[in-house]
Amino acid sequence: MITHHDGHYLLSFRKDVSFAARATLTRYLAQVPDHATLIIDAQRADFVDRDVRDTLQAFVDDAPRRGMTIEMLHWPPRCAPARSRLGWSLPRALGW
């Protein structure tokens, strides 16, 4: 689910996010305009499929070019953005 207010967007995941959710996720991400702030909240997610993580990673990688700010909140341990285990490079993408 995505909501927005005044250039800030919130994308919230529920329970498990399987590969079947990738098409919906892609539609949600397409709604976020350049120069926006996107908060991705996985507080309710117990599992996030690798296809979904890859889709998010591609979006995060492109965010600097689009002038976007991305924040990721409440990632459960098994889907936390840790490059060594999951192939994520989110800290690098965000300049951490």
Side-chain angles (χ1 to χ4, degrees), residues 4-5 9 17 20 22 30 54 57-58 75-76 92:
H4 66 90
H5 176 72
Y9 289 73
V17 186
R22 187 174 181 189
D54 291 345
Q57 185 62 54
W75 284 88
R92 176 187 47 77

Side-chain angles (χ1 to χ4, degrees), residues 13-61:
F13 293 129
R14 299 178 188 206
K15 189 113 173 91
D16 295 333
V17 186
S18 72
F19 71 92
R22 187 174 181 189
T24 301
L25 173 63
T26 301
R27 281 195 309 273
Y28 286 155
L29 293 175
Q31 295 176 32
V32 182
D34 293 353
H35 309 289
T37 296
L38 174 63
I39 300 168
I40 303 170
D41 186 355
Q43 182 174 13
R44 295 185 215 152
D46 293 327
F47 171 79
V48 178
D49 188 81
R50 181 165 188 91
D51 284 348
V52 171
R53 291 192 316 263
D54 291 345
T55 299
L56 285 171
Q57 185 62 54
F59 189 83
V60 168
D61 288 346

Side-chain angles (χ1 to χ4, degrees), residues 7-9 32-40 59-60 62-72 90 93-94 96:
H8 291 77
Y9 289 73
V32 182
D34 293 353
H35 309 289
T37 296
L38 174 63
I39 300 168
I40 303 170
F59 189 83
V60 168
D62 193 44
R65 182 189 66 77
R66 296 180 59 195
M68 301 175 82
T69 302
I70 310 285
E71 294 180 47
M72 303 198 55
L90 183 62
L94 296 179
W96 295 345

